[in-house]
Amino acid sequence: MGRWSHVESGSDGKLRKGRVSDAVIRRLPRYFRHLTDLELAGVVRISSSALGQSMGLTASQIRQDLSCFGEFGQQGYGYNVENLRREIADILGMRQGHTAVLLGAGNLGRALMENFHFERSGFTLQAAFDVCPEVVGVKMAGLTVRHANTLEEYLQEHPCDVGVLTVPRSAAQCSADRLIASGVKGIWNFTNIELQHGAGGVRVENVHFADSLLTLSYLISEGV
């Protein structure tokens, strides 16, 4: 079941948000990306109709999504692009200084370290770990890869919010268990297996590259 929300005013007059549906949460990064593009293009304000049309959503859907978190637009004016982008960044927690460590500095892990801009999503990648002698001690994206045997010691001294998992499938669950036991709050899982993660309320976001390609395969095969 999804997570549903309502917004109420507290005694101090500020809006309080409850639980929000998964569908709304997963649209928020789309809003943020689109508003970033609009701001870079010099757009100052936009109506819900124009925003919806450019994103393939209805104006009603946009107003409904945003209403889960408060009131942002003005009738007859629409949304201030810069302000709405900033508000959504706050909702997404992008200003909270999240930290991450990466397990598995092989081809995929190295590609993420060197090409994905963690800081643009509000994260600082603090350390990377591997077991391969050819990789341990190598500097990647400004970080020297540490041996995976030192993971628990490192996280005890430098607690992190998220573990990025790019290890082989055979090591995925064991690595996830170590991260959870070391106190991470979430796992960004690229191992292509479903992790068992019931303990401690740790959130897992699975990234399955093949899913997107297979979806595309269906769409072009069926002519959708």
Side-chain angles (χ1 to χ4, degrees):
M1 294 181 63
R3 298 188 294 272
W4 292 94
S5 171
H6 62 281
V7 179
E8 297 177 345
S9 294
S11 58
D12 57 1
K14 294 183 178 180
L15 293 171
R16 303 280 188 252
K17 69 174 184 291
R19 297 176 71 80
V20 182
S21 74
D22 289 335
V24 173
I25 293 170
R26 294 189 180 280
R27 279 194 291 270
L28 287 176
R30 284 190 62 201
Y31 287 129
F32 181 79
R33 289 199 313 270
H34 198 74
L35 290 164
T36 298
D37 291 340
L38 290 172
E39 188 175 0
L40 290 173
V43 178
V44 175
R45 67 173 179 170
I46 191 168
S47 68
S48 56
S49 297
L51 183 58
Q53 185 175 12
S54 63
M55 294 182 65
L57 301 171
T58 65
S60 175
Q61 182 69 75
I62 287 177
R63 290 193 295 267
Q64 183 178 334
D65 286 353
L66 296 179
S67 70
C68 293
F69 306 98
E71 299 295 333
F72 301 105
Q74 297 178 20
Q75 189 171 3
Y77 177 88
Y79 302 105
N80 179 284
V81 171
E82 180 183 359
N83 290 344
L84 183 57
R85 177 183 177 275
R86 185 168 57 247
E87 293 282 1
I88 291 178
D90 287 339
I91 292 167
L92 288 169
M94 295 176 66
R95 302 174 190 272
Q96 294 184 14
H98 294 312
T99 54
V101 294
L102 182 142
L103 271 70
N107 292 335
L108 177 56
R110 183 167 193 158
L112 278 174
M113 292 176 68
E114 295 182 344
N115 298 287
F116 182 77
H117 299 283
F118 284 86
E119 68 282 357
R120 293 182 185 175
S121 297
F123 282 81
T124 298
L125 184 62
Q126 291 192 164
F129 299 84
D130 205 286
V131 296
C132 179
E134 289 77 19
V135 173
V136 174
V138 174
K139 181 167 283 191
M140 301 181 186
L143 297 175
T144 300
V145 178
R146 302 166 183 263
H147 198 284
N149 288 346
T150 66
L151 174 67
E152 285 82 2
E153 179 183 356
Y154 179 88
L155 290 177
Q156 184 175 9
E157 297 178 1
H158 310 280
C160 278
D161 299 305
V162 167
V164 182
L165 212 53
T166 51
V167 296
R169 290 168 58 95
S170 59
Q173 188 62 57
C174 175
S175 299
D177 292 341
R178 293 175 65 192
L179 286 167
I180 293 169
S182 297
V184 301
K185 301 173 185 175
I187 296 175
W188 199 19
N189 175 30
F190 288 84
T191 65
N192 207 36
I193 70 167
E194 301 295 326
L195 300 172
Q196 302 298 317
H197 56 92
V202 173
R203 306 296 185 184
V204 175
E205 183 69 17
N206 297 302
V207 180
H208 295 292
F209 293 119
D211 288 7
S212 296
L213 189 58
L214 290 173
T215 300
L216 183 60
S217 175
Y218 170 81
L219 293 173
I220 62 177
S221 297
E222 297 297 320
V224 177

